[in-house]
Amino acid sequence: MEFLLEFILELFLEGSMEISSNKKISKWIRYPLMAFILFFFLTVIGLIFFTGILTFSDNKLLSILLLLCGMIMLIGTIIKFRNLYLKRK
């Protein structure tokens, strides 16, 4: 069941990234897909930050590692978004 869910989500996210970067597809389809992808990644990163903040009082090392992981993922997401959508010509 987990494999099936992972396969479907990966197929949807990768397909959405490919469709949203294609200029031949209508803007009415591309922009909501871009918003969905951005919302999904920011939600996951936000949950990592939230977990890092919550665990700070109990386990400082884990909290710092989670916050560092969240920062790395946020920077990677910004770089990927800029390369895929903003620098495209």
Side-chain angles (χ1 to χ4, degrees):
M1 185 69 180
E2 180 183 344
F3 178 73
L4 183 63
L5 181 65
E6 181 182 347
F7 178 72
I8 291 171
L9 278 175
E10 185 175 338
L11 184 64
F12 181 72
L13 285 174
E14 290 295 324
S16 297
M17 289 179 84
E18 289 295 322
I19 289 173
S20 65
S21 65
N22 189 353
K23 283 204 169 226
K24 294 179 183 177
I25 306 294
S26 172
K27 289 181 183 180
W28 290 98
I29 296 172
R30 286 189 297 143
Y31 290 160
L33 287 176
M34 279 189 249
F36 175 76
I37 293 168
L38 193 62
F39 176 73
F40 179 76
F41 283 118
L42 290 179
T43 302
V44 171
I45 293 169
L47 286 173
I48 291 173
F49 277 121
F50 184 68
T51 306
I53 292 169
L54 285 180
T55 59
F56 187 73
S57 62
D58 296 334
N59 193 348
K60 292 189 185 347
L61 179 63
L62 178 64
S63 175
I64 292 171
L65 288 175
L66 282 171
L67 291 173
L68 184 65
C69 179
M71 285 301 294
I72 290 170
M73 289 179 71
L74 183 64
I75 291 169
T77 300
I78 291 170
I79 291 171
K80 176 77 172 181
F81 185 79
R82 286 186 62 208
N83 288 341
L84 192 60
Y85 298 120
L86 299 178
K87 288 188 176 181
R88 171 182 54 146
K89 292 189 180 187

